[in-house]
Amino acid sequence: MWDPYLASLQNHLPAAEEKIVFDKFHVAGHLGEAVDRVRRREHKALKAEGDERLTGTKYDWLRNPTSMDGKQRREFAELRNSELKTARAWALKETAMSLYNYVYEKPARKHFQWWYSWAVRSRLQPIKEVARMLKRRFENIITYVRHQITNAASESLNAKIQWVKYTARGFRNKQNFIHAIYFHCGGLDLAPALTK
């Protein structure tokens, strides 16, 4: 979502505007960071009053509630259903991410407009900032509905390349590094064929 990256794509890729898809994990990251900023501010204010409700809950707001056990889920539901600003920020994040469940563009656009209106009226500055950024980038967020792709595969491949680089502790030249990438990421079947 970085401006120089987009400018480069638009200069080098024909019809880039129709092809760029902002990954839902990056959108979730921006929203998660906004929720955490709201939590930190609210926690500081509550702690000054002697209220420790938000102590130790940082990762609860970032986790998927379905990955929690029963006790954790009940405790989180109590926080989530409270009057906390963090709970409101979390609800905004979850509602925004439901955009990625849409199959058709028109209802997805309608959902985003409704969500954006709620977000900018939320009086939660970090959420408002992310909402404005998402609105500026919305045309490339909505392309997910058309293409239904994420960059998870390329992120996985990049992680494998970084692992090759790390485990080798360096290469004598660039060509050796390229060969190592092909070897580890090329999907070659190097097992000897067994003949009878």
Side-chain angles (χ1 to χ4, degrees):
M1 296 187 176
W2 192 41
D3 287 328
Y5 176 75
L6 292 173
S8 176
L9 278 175
Q10 290 165 348
N11 288 338
H12 295 92
L13 184 66
E17 297 80 23
E18 299 166 10
K19 297 174 183 168
I20 297 170
V21 178
F22 289 132
D23 197 278
K24 66 181 176 181
F25 301 106
H26 289 108
V27 172
H30 285 290
L31 288 164
E33 175 59 31
V35 171
D36 194 49
R37 286 172 52 203
V38 170
R39 182 199 59 81
R40 285 193 311 252
R41 287 179 188 171
E42 187 172 31
H43 179 54
K44 189 176 182 180
L46 289 174
K47 203 170 182 181
E49 298 170 2
D51 188 338
E52 297 286 333
R53 277 185 289 174
L54 289 175
T55 301
T57 64
K58 175 180 181 171
Y59 295 105
D60 292 341
W61 299 104
L62 301 175
R63 284 173 66 189
N64 183 343
T66 59
S67 68
M68 298 176 177
D69 64 32
K71 183 181 180 228
Q72 291 171 327
R73 206 177 355 251
R74 283 188 296 279
E75 289 171 357
F76 183 63
E78 206 172 287
L79 283 173
R80 197 180 66 214
N81 296 328
S82 69
E83 78 292 343
L84 292 170
K85 292 176 183 178
T86 309
R88 206 162 14 115
W90 182 85
L92 279 155
K93 175 188 79 116
E94 292 297 308
T95 306
M97 292 310 295
S98 67
L99 175 79
Y100 289 95
N101 297 331
Y102 282 89
V103 177
Y104 299 106
E105 198 171 321
K106 191 172 180 179
R109 285 181 182 280
K110 190 173 181 180
H111 171 81
F112 181 79
Q113 287 303 321
W114 170 81
W115 176 83
Y116 179 78
S117 174
W118 178 26
V120 294
R121 288 183 286 109
S122 69
R123 293 176 306 196
L124 302 170
Q125 193 57 37
I127 294 290
K128 288 165 66 174
E129 290 168 10
V130 171
R132 289 186 187 108
M133 185 266 299
L134 294 179
K135 184 170 183 162
R136 280 194 318 275
R137 303 287 187 232
F138 184 68
E139 288 309 313
N140 295 118
I141 292 171
I142 198 72
T143 52
Y144 174 83
V145 174
R146 277 183 295 227
H147 301 298
Q148 297 285 318
I149 59 169
T150 68
N151 67 349
S154 61
E155 293 283 349
S156 173
L157 186 60
N158 185 49
K160 196 166 194 175
I161 291 169
Q162 295 305 317
W163 174 83
V164 167
K165 184 176 171 183
Y166 172 77
T167 56
R169 308 288 197 278
F171 292 92
R172 288 179 190 254
N173 58 49
K174 190 189 282 186
Q175 196 58 46
N176 288 351
F177 183 40
I178 292 169
H179 289 309
I181 292 169
Y182 284 146
F183 181 79
H184 289 281
C185 302
L188 300 173
D189 182 11
L190 299 175
L194 299 175
T195 57
K196 289 187 179 184

